Amino acid sequence: MKRGIILLLTALLAVFTLAACKSDKESSGESASANVEVNEEGFPIVDEEIELSVMAPGTGIAEWEDMATLKEYSEMTNIKMEYTTPPLSDFQTKLNLAFASGDVADIIYGAGSSNLTPAMEVDYGEQGVLLPLEELIEEHAPNIKKMLEENPDIKKSITTIDGHIYSLPRVSEGSSSYWYKGPLWYNGRWLDALGVEELPKTTDEFYDLMVRFKTEDPNGNGEADEIPLLDVKMNSSRAWFLAAFGMKEWGIEENDGKVRYTPITDNYKEYITYMNKLYEEGLLDPETFSQSDEQKKAKGQANRLGIFPDWFSFFTTGESEEEALNNPMFQPLTSPVSEETIIPLNPGINRGAFSITSENPNPEASIRWVDYFYSKEGFTFLNEGPEGLLWEDQDGERIYLDTPEGYDSSEDYRGSITPDYGIAAPTTSGPIEGKPQSEFEKFIDSETNEKIVPYGEVPFPLVYLTAEEQKQINSIEVDLTSYVEQMEAKFITGVEPLSNWDSYVETIQNMNIDEYVEVHQAAYDRWSES
């Protein structure tokens, strides 16, 4: 009994000691809630320098602490950042380990929804690891607040089911922001050689041109080495051909409020029948499902490709930007089963770009730090850095400087001075005021406005699932996706005959596809009604 009393007294003493220590910390301003005073306008953000930690994906071009933009911004804000930047290819693994160990940085920057997934936002938000941002935005982030007020779709696309915002997005404006995938490009030299003056607008017309590409020696070398259509595992061109058969997505999509799973529809059967025809006749590269991106580019630089995917055509062909002006973008097709021209459209919102964790001792300063980048001035600074590197001001005119030696391109050089390169940096991007458009940029704008914008539809909005819904999806999705990927390749290459279509559909139905669709329908209904 005496031993029990002693243990009890010891425990009580420990509780009182901890409480006293906590009280002393709070009174001395050492608690996480006792932040430094934040200046609500202008710079510096704080009068007394503070230090915060940031975890972000690195692109390998430069160390973040050496980037001129971040060094300048540190001076402007009086906020010093300690950066942890694992390679982009390893970032999600490192981020998961940080969450699991509890050793997470004050700020998670540039992750994007592929690394800091919507499910992770919900999970770590509910656990209290990620801080809700809406009150911080209301009080300390006028640029973000304005963006959300003017764009209700952005606000509801980043607000989780519990009503909180745990992560800020990268919002993109401008031509390429509409692209759901990188475009398909025609080889302009081949079109000229064959006297093609109008691009195909139907699947039948496209087939006829592919036959001409294969049989009429458009590269002029006297050899039958032409590859009319090429891709790497259909990952880039699939969306364009699905659209020809009336589908916006390879999976879940919404039409007039109704959600469906496209890989079991009759439209999808028509798509794989058509692609199988192209494959069997040698019009689709026989190495489509086995080659690498490097092999694709080698074929392009040898002038063996008629139509091919890439962000810009000269990335594949090796031509100059000026020469690439002759390579037109793919014209969306219609087909006998879909006479309305559609093309999937990017919503222009990449979630998961900026989060504040519970480790952060100064969330108010942190939200002010990122808010600047959601202004036009802030995006320009983030994208192009301080004066004297990429540009300089000459009598009020923005003049662009030559790229220093040692860099393959101006973009590589830009990636050495700013983090806004190759990742989902939190900002509202768009055309930079005062920056002249190159002829190639004008070409991209024209092609996009002619061939994508008039026909574009977002396949499915950015939604959040409940924890229970996410559990249901996880139990279905991995096997479902793997099976559909395998069967697409088998159907197109003829390894699996199309006569087995009904068996394929039955297999998917047995994978609880009805439940999968119902969950997404419920999520869409919530999004639509919010």
Side-chain angles (χ1 to χ4, degrees):
M1 184 178 294
K2 286 182 181 179
R3 185 170 181 271
I5 292 172
I6 291 170
L7 288 173
L8 177 60
L9 290 173
T10 303
L12 289 171
L13 179 60
V15 170
F16 286 128
T17 302
L18 287 171
C21 290
K22 182 178 180 183
S23 176
D24 289 343
K25 273 190 169 185
E26 289 176 349
S27 63
S28 64
E30 292 179 13
S31 74
S33 62
N35 305 316
V36 297
E37 186 174 347
V38 172
N39 299 319
E40 296 301 339
E41 294 181 358
F43 296 111
I45 290 175
V46 290
D47 293 327
E48 179 184 347
E49 183 183 90
I50 60 172
E51 183 172 324
L52 298 170
S53 60
V54 175
M55 185 175 186
T59 57
I61 293 182
E63 297 296 330
W64 283 39
E65 57 263 27
D66 297 329
M67 291 182 176
T69 303
L70 295 175
K71 291 168 74 173
E72 177 83 3
Y73 197 51
S74 179
E75 294 292 326
M76 292 165 59
T77 60
N78 224 7
I79 299 175
K80 182 180 179 182
M81 296 294 190
E82 179 185 339
Y83 300 104
T84 300
T85 56
L88 184 58
S89 58
D90 296 333
F91 181 74
Q92 187 175 46
T93 299
K94 299 295 186 183
L95 181 61
N96 286 335
L97 287 173
F99 277 127
S101 67
D103 186 21
V104 66
D106 300 327
I107 291 170
I108 300 170
Y109 181 102
S113 58
S114 60
N115 292 305
L116 182 60
T117 66
M120 291 168 69
E121 284 185 53
V122 171
D123 187 18
Y124 291 114
E126 290 180 349
Q127 291 181 36
V129 179
L130 299 181
L131 297 185
L133 304 179
E134 58 276 2
E135 290 186 10
L136 291 169
I137 293 169
E138 179 69 27
E139 297 176 13
H140 306 287
N143 295 310
I144 299 171
K145 180 180 176 182
K146 180 182 177 183
M147 175 186 72
L148 299 181
E149 288 175 347
E150 294 179 351
N151 300 274
D153 277 3
I154 296 177
K155 184 175 182 179
K156 66 183 180 181
S157 295
I158 64 171
T159 302
T160 60
I161 295 170
D162 62 6
H164 291 309
I165 295 171
Y166 294 111
S167 181
L168 298 176
R170 179 186 182 90
V171 179
S172 301
E173 300 173 354
S175 292
S176 60
S177 68
Y178 293 109
W179 298 355
Y180 196 67
K181 294 283 186 181
L184 295 177
W185 303 97
Y186 281 98
N187 186 329
R189 289 172 288 177
W190 287 22
L191 298 175
D192 292 341
L194 300 182
V196 177
E197 297 182 356
E198 187 172 342
L199 297 180
K201 293 184 178 179
T202 69
T203 51
D204 289 340
E205 291 173 359
F206 182 82
Y207 168 81
D208 292 340
L209 180 59
M210 294 301 99
V211 172
R212 294 191 65 193
F213 278 174
K214 182 175 176 60
T215 60
E216 297 185 23
D217 192 28
N219 67 10
N221 66 357
E223 300 179 17
D225 62 347
E226 284 84 357
I227 301 170
L229 171 64
L230 166 144
D231 199 358
V232 177
K233 297 181 180 179
M234 294 300 295
N235 286 336
S236 299
S237 60
R238 179 187 298 110
W240 297 86
F241 288 103
L242 287 174
F245 294 91
M247 295 165 286
K248 296 177 291 186
E249 179 58 281
W250 191 42
I252 289 291
E253 70 171 22
E254 171 271 329
N255 285 286
D256 297 326
K258 179 77 171 174
V259 175
R260 68 173 179 173
Y261 185 68
T262 58
I264 57 173
T265 61
D266 291 339
N267 300 65
Y268 185 75
K269 182 181 181 181
E270 292 298 322
Y271 153 76
I272 58 172
T273 300
Y274 182 78
M275 299 310 297
N276 171 254
K277 178 181 178 181
L278 298 183
Y279 185 89
E280 292 292 342
E281 297 187 23
L283 307 180
L284 173 63
D285 189 353
E287 295 181 326
T288 290
F289 294 98
S290 60
Q291 68 190 330
S292 66
D293 194 61
E294 289 73 21
Q295 289 171 304
K296 178 199 81 167
K297 284 178 168 33
K299 293 173 181 178
Q301 291 170 15
N303 194 24
R304 295 183 58 202
L305 305 181
I307 186 166
F308 52 89
D310 215 326
W311 196 253
F312 297 136
S313 66
F314 62 84
F315 290 172
T316 289
T317 63
E319 298 171 295
S320 67
E321 286 191 10
E322 184 178 359
E323 291 170 322
L325 296 174
N326 191 43
N327 299 331
M329 187 187 291
F330 183 79
Q331 170 70 45
L333 305 176
T334 59
S335 68
V337 298
S338 179
E339 297 180 355
E340 179 185 358
T341 305
I342 62 168
I343 207 74
L345 198 66
N346 192 320
I349 305 168
N350 192 342
R351 298 181 290 192
F354 183 91
S355 291
I356 299 174
T357 75
S358 57
E359 297 295 311
N360 193 315
N362 292 286
E364 290 86 356
S366 300
I367 201 74
R368 266 227 63 205
W369 184 91
V370 76
D371 182 65
Y372 177 61
F373 301 130
Y374 287 89
S375 67
K376 287 187 176 181
E377 177 187 341
F379 166 67
T380 300
F381 174 76
L382 177 67
N383 187 258
E384 299 199 326
E387 184 176 3
L389 298 169
L390 288 177
W391 62 278
E392 66 181 15
D393 185 284
Q394 294 184 8
D395 300 324
E397 184 178 357
R398 198 176 184 89
I399 303 299
Y400 286 83
L401 308 174
D402 293 336
T403 301
E405 292 184 5
Y407 294 92
D408 292 336
S409 67
S410 60
E411 273 296 281
D412 280 350
Y413 177 53
R414 193 178 69 81
S416 73
I417 66 175
T418 174
D420 187 27
Y421 174 89
I423 66 171
T427 187
T428 300
S429 69
I432 292 175
E433 188 174 342
K435 182 177 183 179
Q437 271 196 316
S438 68
E439 290 303 311
F440 186 74
E441 288 170 331
K442 292 176 183 177
F443 166 73
I444 292 296
D445 282 353
S446 175
E447 292 290 280
T448 301
N449 289 329
E450 176 188 347
K451 296 172 179 175
I452 294 181
V453 175
Y455 314 114
E457 297 181 19
V458 175
F460 195 73
L462 301 176
V463 301
Y464 287 94
L465 305 179
T466 66
E468 181 58 33
E469 288 172 337
Q470 190 64 57
K471 185 177 179 181
Q472 291 174 272
I473 293 300
N474 291 345
S475 69
I476 299 170
E477 198 162 57
V478 175
D479 290 340
L480 176 66
T481 301
S482 176
Y483 178 69
V484 170
E485 285 178 353
Q486 292 174 22
M487 292 303 293
E488 181 197 54
K490 289 180 178 180
F491 278 135
I492 290 176
T493 59
V495 172
E496 188 81 20
L498 288 165
S499 57
N500 288 347
W501 170 261
D502 290 343
S503 174
Y504 156 81
V505 172
E506 183 179 356
T507 300
I508 291 178
Q509 289 172 335
N510 290 334
M511 291 180 169
N512 295 324
I513 194 62
D514 289 343
E515 179 184 337
Y516 189 74
V517 171
E518 286 170 7
V519 167
H520 286 93
Q521 182 71 62
Y524 172 78
D525 291 342
R526 283 195 303 267
W527 182 91
S528 181
E529 293 166 4
S530 66

